[in-house]
Amino acid sequence: MAQNGTACPKPMQATSTGVFQGENPLDYALPLVIVQIILVIVLTRTLAFLLRPLRQPRVIAEIIGGVLLGPSAFGRSEAFLQTIFPPKSLPVLDTLANLGLIFFLFLVGLELDPKALRRTGKKAMSIALAGICLPFGMGIGTSFVLRATICKGVSQGPFIVFMGVALSITAFPVLARILAELKLLTTDVGRMAMSAAAVNDVAAWILLALAIALSGTGKSPLISLWVFLCGAAFVGLCILIVPPIFKWLARHCPDGEPVDEIYICGTLAAVLAAGFVTDTIGIHALFGAFVLGILAPKDGPFASALVEKVEDLVSGLLLPLYFASSGLKTNVATIQGVQSWGLLLLVILTACFGKVIGTIVVSRLCKVPLSEAVALGVLMNSKGLVELIVLNIGKDRKVLNDQTFAIMVLMALVTTFMTTPIVMAVYKPAKRGRMYKLRTVQRKDPSTQLRIMACFHSGRTIPTMINLIEATRGTENKEGLTVYAMHLMELSERSSAIRMVHKARNNGLPFWNKGVQSDSDQVVVAFEAYGQLSRVQIRPMTAISHFSNMHEDICASAESKTAALIILPFHKHQKVDGSLETTRHEYRVINKKVLENAPCSVGILVDRGLGGSSHVSASNVDSTITVFFFGGPDDREALALGQRMSEHPGITLIVVHFRADPNIEGGEIVAIDVSDSSSSSKHSKAPDEEALDAIKQKLSKDGSVKYEERVVKATSETIEIIKEFSRCHMILVGRSPEGMAAATFSINVKAEYPEIGPVGGFLISQDVSTNASVLVMHQYSGGSRTVSIDMDEPTDGTETE
């Protein structure tokens, strides 16, 4: 906006002495930039909230917010513009915005893995090249039309390159979030789109560097050549010097220890220094930061510490200022008349035609189905921050005038906004699940292969989970055990969400970074290391979703992998003093939804450290597993899992069968309840007896299996027996036990957490003193049993709905 004034504005002082001294704080740099930051954040976050039902990425809200603050909307008021965004404040705002941009580009470079690019398949590479070449060529054609109409007198060479780059860009971070929102990361479309976009992103930066070199105002064309050559020399020097330094830093940052502050500060200073060098060369400060980000290590605590220290401040606070700065340069009012609006339509159609048609044609040549090809084309046409960077640099270098700049910003907004609805309309991935019979642990032939999906949120439950798998592998079973270890990760708007994208798997195949694992993958490393030491097939997976629909990923993956059992961590974890505290209430909601929609049996694990805090080798396993059996399908499922565990030479299984005395307390009341579901009791009695007979037959063969039958007359006796046998390593119980003894127990003992049933809830209450982990089993019934879980508030008030 400064160009409207004829004289150079007087520099602003940093701070005021206050209103009581008769000064207006908005006349000073610091108070004014604080107001600007707050206004930008409030407006963009509000727009992001309003656009959330449309499943639009946050960049859309930030672009719209920036445009609204500019002369296109709020800025039409001269009073608003002179008060909040006066010309003399813009250098401060632009400096902060570009500082945030420098560090953000460092994070973007940190997300891109050059090794993954080298492994890009021919199909994805062909799609990427088509998505670059055709739009670039059409951008050149469009540039001639614009130069003949609204861009007369603009230098032809730089303008052609800038237009080609602007139309050929694919926003890699934006595309990643759109795919995650639409749950397409693990589909063929998602895989190809991400691979092609990564190649496109790198190519765009190279072309942008060329465009900046050509846009210099030097009289001699040799200056542009020198700029480009010096930039190439800087990149080559960085490739030689930077990786050894980062490797040295990584060696001095061991796992499990905090990263020394001096290493973080040194790296951030190096990012600024690299930006200074590239700015001095004449490219742009962001290139130095981007190059350093690409060369930085992707693994280990050092990389995670860098992301953790930088991303929230940059992405949440400083980066929105860049969109505001762009919006202040965007004046939609300059698009006037039929010619201007016709040129806007031409640019949008050209951008869409080049990307979409080019991608579709090459995809079809690669034998990609039409619906997938169309979805790929639309996805590759999404724009974002890199587009704005190109346009802003072009405007700063006088390559783009106000009208062309506004047209290109609107083009970026329209093409990105339409991506999600069009993809949702044209591409509906077929459900990968297929019909299969073995959906429970209990089965006619126990020797068949057992498939388990073990879910975890963090590394806290990993030792218990691995020791549980070790106990379950069953040495006598010929077909063995297959475990899908699914890491449940929340999808967020943080820049590190891109790192989560790299972990998304397709059909349990290895990560992109096959040879190297980051510290956040230590849980995966633990599973894979265990799988190599045992004959259990371990296949790590990752679910990246919002908590509200994460259960869909779990259930869909379990069905596609034909799993018989899903193991979920309980939403509470054990503290040092032995009590349980809530980790996150959202985990409880996920467990509830999985129980209601699971395609197989479900087990909820209350972790108290089975085998201690580390993985126990097979030869050292010495655990006692107790099964409390009342009756019913859930108890039979727990018994079947316990029977499989008993085959391990280091496992001692104790089965405690509760039988109700005919004169049990409250028997009359219970009898009325049971009679209402007489079909259930009649049909479940024979299966219960069969399951118990199978256990009794093992008594004579192997002394590691013990069976005790207890007749109870009152709930108090049931409680005492449970306490008596709770001194073990793990307890298996059914979620909904049946029979007279179970019904009496359920009536007299309050079930605080319905998802783990009355017995499971009692075992984790303060009434029972035990260090045993508890696995609560719910047997899949194919819809014959309704799963109703009332999420009442617990009595301790530790959770909120």
Side-chain angles (χ1 to χ4, degrees):
M1 303 307 299
Q3 65 267 26
N4 294 336
T6 56
C8 182
K10 183 181 178 181
M12 300 179 74
Q13 293 183 349
T15 58
S16 71
T17 56
V19 292
F20 296 108
Q21 300 291 336
E23 293 182 349
N24 182 2
L26 296 183
D27 290 336
Y28 295 83
L30 181 61
L32 181 57
V33 81
I34 290 173
V35 171
Q36 290 170 343
I37 291 173
I38 293 173
L39 178 61
V40 169
I41 290 175
V42 170
L43 179 61
T44 54
R45 292 290 177 163
T46 302
L47 289 172
F49 176 78
L50 295 175
L51 291 173
R52 187 178 297 171
L54 300 177
R55 305 176 82 170
Q56 293 293 334
R58 199 174 75 191
V59 67
I60 290 288
E62 290 171 332
I63 294 175
I64 294 175
V67 172
L68 290 178
L69 290 173
S72 304
F74 300 154
R76 298 181 72 87
S77 168
E78 192 66 24
F80 171 83
L81 211 57
Q82 292 299 324
T83 304
I84 305 300
F85 295 103
K88 59 185 178 181
S89 74
L90 295 185
V92 177
L93 180 67
D94 288 342
T95 301
L96 280 176
N98 279 280
L99 189 66
L101 184 66
I102 287 173
F103 285 114
F104 181 78
L105 264 294
F106 171 70
L107 293 178
V108 171
L110 201 62
E111 308 296 346
L112 286 173
D113 183 11
K115 296 178 182 177
L117 294 179
R118 290 200 297 266
R119 291 193 294 269
T120 302
K122 292 181 180 179
K123 187 184 295 186
M125 184 65 74
S126 302
I127 292 171
L129 292 176
I132 295 172
C133 297
L134 184 59
F136 194 90
M138 299 196 71
I140 293 175
T142 306
S143 68
F144 287 107
V145 177
L146 293 176
R147 282 191 77 245
T149 51
I150 62 175
C151 298
K152 295 177 180 179
V154 176
S155 179
Q156 182 175 355
F159 186 64
I160 287 175
V161 179
F162 267 100
M163 287 299 299
V165 172
L167 266 62
S168 60
I169 280 176
T170 296
F172 180 79
V174 175
L175 177 62
R177 290 185 174 87
I178 290 175
L179 290 170
E181 286 278 358
L182 299 180
K183 297 187 180 298
L184 298 178
L185 283 173
T186 57
T187 63
D188 290 338
V189 167
R191 230 174 1 94
M192 283 189 287
M194 288 302 298
S195 299
V199 175
N200 193 301
D201 212 30
V202 174
W205 286 109
I206 296 172
L207 291 172
L208 180 56
L210 176 63
I212 293 174
L214 291 174
S215 64
T217 57
K219 296 180 181 180
S220 172
L222 289 176
I223 294 178
S224 296
L225 179 61
W226 274 112
V227 169
F228 191 76
L229 290 177
C230 288
F234 168 78
V235 173
L237 199 62
C238 285
I239 292 174
L240 291 175
I241 296 175
V242 173
I245 296 175
F246 275 131
K247 286 180 181 178
W248 181 86
L249 288 176
R251 284 199 303 269
H252 287 75
C253 300
D255 290 337
E257 295 184 14
V259 178
D260 198 327
E261 183 184 1
I262 189 65
Y263 298 147
I264 301 295
C265 293
T267 302
L268 298 183
V271 172
L272 294 175
F276 174 78
V277 172
T278 51
D279 191 75
T280 303
I281 291 172
I283 305 179
H284 197 286
L286 60 87
F287 276 98
F290 182 69
V291 170
L292 234 64
I294 288 182
L295 297 176
K298 318 297 178 187
D299 327 297
F302 181 64
S304 296
L306 279 174
V307 173
E308 184 180 347
K309 300 287 185 184
V310 177
E311 69 175 344
D312 286 335
L313 175 65
V314 171
S315 302
L317 204 63
L318 296 180
L319 199 60
L321 298 182
Y322 191 80
F323 292 95
S325 178
S326 300
L328 292 172
K329 302 172 187 174
T330 306
N331 189 356
V332 179
T334 59
I335 308 175
Q336 295 178 343
V338 177
Q339 184 190 60
S340 294
W341 286 104
L343 290 173
L344 172 62
L345 183 61
L346 173 67
V347 171
I348 293 175
L349 291 177
T350 303
C352 294
F353 184 87
K355 276 284 186 184
V356 178
I357 300 301
T359 303
I360 289 175
V361 170
V362 175
S363 299
R364 292 294 292 158
L365 292 175
C366 295
K367 299 181 179 179
V368 175
L370 181 60
S371 61
E372 293 185 12
V374 174
L376 269 174
V378 176
L379 287 167
M380 294 295 289
N381 198 33
S382 57
K383 311 294 183 184
L385 177 63
V386 183
E387 178 80 9
L388 286 187
I389 293 172
V390 173
L391 300 180
N392 276 282
I393 294 175
K395 194 172 191 309
D396 293 340
R397 298 295 178 101
K398 311 299 182 185
V399 177
L400 305 177
N401 60 21
D402 290 348
Q403 192 171 353
T404 309
F405 183 81
I407 287 174
M408 298 303 291
V409 169
L410 289 182
M411 178 273 293
L413 190 61
V414 170
T415 53
T416 307
F417 191 90
M418 70 183 192
T419 300
T420 298
I422 293 180
V423 171
M424 291 177 65
V426 302
Y427 181 65
K428 293 176 172 49
K431 291 185 178 180
R432 290 173 293 173
R434 58 181 184 271
M435 295 301 295
Y436 65 103
K437 296 180 179 179
L438 301 178
R439 296 176 183 263
T440 61
V441 179
Q442 184 189 15
R443 53 191 63 177
K444 293 181 179 179
D445 184 6
S447 66
T448 53
Q449 185 187 54
L450 178 63
R451 291 171 173 253
I452 295 178
M453 177 163 287
C455 303
F456 56 92
H457 305 285
S458 65
R460 183 184 291 117
T461 58
I462 297 304
T464 295
M465 200 74 80
I466 291 180
N467 291 331
L468 176 59
I469 293 169
E470 168 63 30
T472 310
R473 65 187 177 100
T475 56
E476 293 181 6
N477 287 274
K478 295 180 181 179
E479 295 188 29
L481 175 68
T482 298
V483 177
Y484 298 94
M486 175 169 277
H487 193 178
L488 306 179
M489 304 183 73
E490 181 185 12
L491 176 65
S492 69
E493 287 289 350
R494 303 171 76 178
S495 59
S496 59
I498 308 170
R499 303 187 80 189
M500 294 194 295
V501 169
H502 284 290
K503 299 171 187 176
R505 293 169 173 266
N506 183 35
N507 298 325
L509 297 176
F511 291 125
W512 285 7
N513 299 331
K514 185 175 180 181
V516 185
Q517 301 288 347
S518 67
D519 68 313
S520 57
D521 296 331
Q522 286 179 5
V523 288
V524 176
V525 173
F527 275 112
E528 290 181 337
Y530 166 71
Q532 291 173 1
L533 295 173
S534 65
R535 56 189 191 86
V536 177
Q537 297 183 51
I538 303 289
R539 298 181 182 176
M541 303 173 67
T542 303
I544 307 171
S545 300
H546 295 294
F547 282 140
S548 59
N549 54 18
M550 188 173 284
H551 68 283
E552 296 176 5
D553 283 354
I554 298 172
C555 295
S557 298
E559 188 164 10
S560 68
K561 306 303 180 189
T562 63
L565 175 64
I566 300 172
I567 299 179
L568 301 168
F570 191 51
H571 70 282
K572 289 192 169 191
H573 68 271
Q574 189 175 34
K575 295 193 294 186
V576 178
D577 61 1
S579 61
L580 295 173
E581 68 175 356
T582 300
T583 306
R584 287 189 69 169
H585 178 69
E586 291 87 349
Y587 296 162
R588 186 185 182 199
V589 178
I590 293 171
N591 292 351
K592 168 187 176 294
K593 291 181 178 179
V594 172
L595 278 169
E596 293 174 344
N597 299 281
C600 60
S601 295
V602 178
I604 296 181
L605 175 64
V606 182
D607 179 20
R608 287 199 178 105
L610 174 62
S613 59
S614 62
H615 164 52
V616 179
S617 62
S619 58
N620 295 329
V621 171
D622 185 14
S623 300
T624 301
I625 310 292
T626 302
V627 178
F628 291 137
F629 187 89
F630 291 86
D634 292 351
D635 279 25
R636 293 197 298 272
E637 191 75 352
L639 189 63
L641 185 62
Q643 183 174 345
R644 184 182 179 97
M645 289 180 173
S646 68
E647 296 168 357
H648 194 291
I651 299 293
T652 300
L653 179 68
I654 301 175
V655 178
V656 182
H657 180 204
F658 292 87
R659 283 193 182 275
D661 187 278
N663 300 318
I664 190 172
E665 290 182 3
E668 296 178 0
I669 301 174
V670 173
I672 296 174
D673 295 334
V674 173
S675 64
D676 292 335
S677 57
S678 56
S679 60
S680 168
S681 60
K682 288 178 182 177
H683 292 292
S684 65
K685 183 175 182 180
D688 287 349
E689 295 300 331
E690 289 179 6
L692 290 171
D693 287 342
I695 284 291
K696 292 175 183 177
Q697 289 175 6
K698 294 181 67 83
L699 295 178
S700 57
K701 296 180 180 179
D702 192 344
S704 63
V705 179
K706 301 177 182 178
Y707 173 82
E708 295 210 19
E709 183 176 305
R710 297 294 183 94
V711 179
V712 293
K713 296 182 179 180
T715 300
S716 58
E717 293 183 8
T718 305
I719 290 174
E720 290 303 317
I721 295 170
I722 290 176
K723 289 180 178 179
E724 176 187 346
F725 287 95
S726 63
R727 294 178 179 85
C728 58
H729 296 93
M730 171 165 277
I731 301 173
L732 304 180
V733 297
R735 177 179 165 267
S736 300
E738 297 180 4
M740 195 79 73
T744 307
F745 183 84
S746 301
I747 291 173
N748 295 317
V749 177
K750 186 180 185 303
E752 192 173 4
Y753 303 104
E755 65 268 29
I756 59 174
V759 182
F762 178 71
L763 284 167
I764 69 166
S765 68
Q766 296 180 351
D767 297 330
V768 181
S769 177
T770 179
N771 291 320
S773 296
V774 181
L775 183 60
V776 182
M777 302 292 291
H778 173 82
Q779 188 178 70
Y780 174 78
S781 59
S784 60
R785 290 189 299 152
T786 58
V787 180
S788 177
I789 303 174
D790 184 14
M791 299 282 280
D792 290 332
E793 292 298 317
T795 55
D796 60 4
T798 56
E799 298 174 63
T800 56
E801 192 65 51

